[in-house]
Amino acid sequence: ARALAALPDKAERIRLEHAFNFAKEIEYHHVGLTSEIYFSHPLRVAALATLFAGTQDAGIGVLAVLHNVLEVSNVSLENLSVTFGKCIADQIKILTVDRDVQWDKSYKSGYYNKLMQAPHSARVVKIFDKLDNLFLLGLNPDASVREKYLAEIEDFVLPMTEASLPSLTAYMYYLVQDCRATGFIEH
């Protein structure tokens, strides 16, 4: 609600609300999570990106609330392009990770190189996507996955944060250190 209220233009608030309602109705397919529970992730990313960006344009919030739809739903790129425009659809395509090769170093390097050439809004969304995921990383019992995830952030996301959102770099760095120290949290 704060992110929506932060947009001074009514048309931009309506644009973000439309994306929120669209994303809320999607049936998400994420291992171990219901659609309702999963939806809280893109919602948090959208709120953080919109509030932190301090923009008067809803585009970053729209992008953030939809950033993972190609990975975790049956929504098509064409549908996104028709509904939200080619610019948003193209950025979602850039943000989409090929989960079959997600841990391959050369794939990751190419992925982040493309992302660094993408619009600033795509990089901001990726940074807040990773930041939000760090808060849940300790719930993953697989130490190997946690280590790969933290290495990805150190190798690619921290440099991207330094270049794109320098005021957030120290916080991200310390959050990674906290994740390393915490490890797996049994519940």
Side-chain angles (χ1 to χ4, degrees):
R2 264 185 56 207
L4 202 58
L7 296 169
D9 184 68
K10 183 178 180 180
E12 291 301 311
R13 288 193 302 274
I14 290 169
R15 182 176 169 215
L16 183 55
E17 193 169 12
H18 174 254
F20 167 81
N21 289 330
F22 179 92
K24 186 178 177 184
E25 296 304 316
I26 293 173
E27 182 179 335
Y28 295 100
H29 310 284
H30 192 282
V31 177
L33 301 177
T34 65
S35 283
E36 294 78 18
I37 290 172
Y38 176 79
F39 180 61
S40 63
H41 167 65
L43 190 59
R44 287 188 305 268
V45 174
L48 287 168
T50 301
L51 291 169
F52 196 90
T55 181
Q56 296 184 358
D57 181 324
I60 199 162
V62 171
L63 180 61
V65 82
L66 299 169
H67 76 277
N68 276 349
V69 297
L70 296 177
E71 293 177 38
V72 294
S73 78
N74 294 325
V75 174
S76 71
L77 187 60
E78 181 181 344
N79 185 349
L80 292 171
S81 188
V82 168
T83 308
F84 298 101
K86 184 173 174 16
C87 182
I88 293 290
D90 287 348
Q91 289 181 75
I92 292 170
K93 184 177 178 185
I94 291 167
L95 286 164
T96 300
V97 173
D98 181 344
R99 294 293 173 196
D100 292 336
V101 291
Q102 69 178 334
W103 301 121
D104 179 84
K105 278 275 198 184
S106 65
Y107 167 76
K108 273 302 176 176
S109 181
Y111 172 82
Y112 280 101
N113 283 336
K114 280 188 222 170
L115 197 50
M116 286 303 291
Q117 303 307 311
H120 184 258
S121 55
R123 295 189 305 274
V124 169
V125 167
K126 178 51 76 174
I127 291 164
F128 282 111
D129 172 35
K130 293 299 186 181
L131 183 142
D132 185 63
N133 289 341
L134 282 171
F135 286 106
L136 301 175
L137 187 62
L139 299 177
N140 187 324
D142 189 329
S144 171
V145 169
R146 289 193 316 272
E147 178 53 41
K148 289 177 199 173
Y149 198 85
L150 293 171
E152 175 184 341
I153 291 175
E154 290 170 331
D155 293 346
F156 302 108
V157 179
L158 284 173
M160 184 169 59
T161 304
E162 178 65 37
S164 303
L165 293 174
S167 64
L168 193 62
T169 306
Y171 180 75
M172 285 285 285
Y173 172 81
Y174 289 118
L175 189 55
V176 168
Q177 299 313 308
D178 286 347
C179 286
R180 284 197 184 284
T182 304
F184 175 59
I185 304 167
E186 292 191 48
H187 46 204

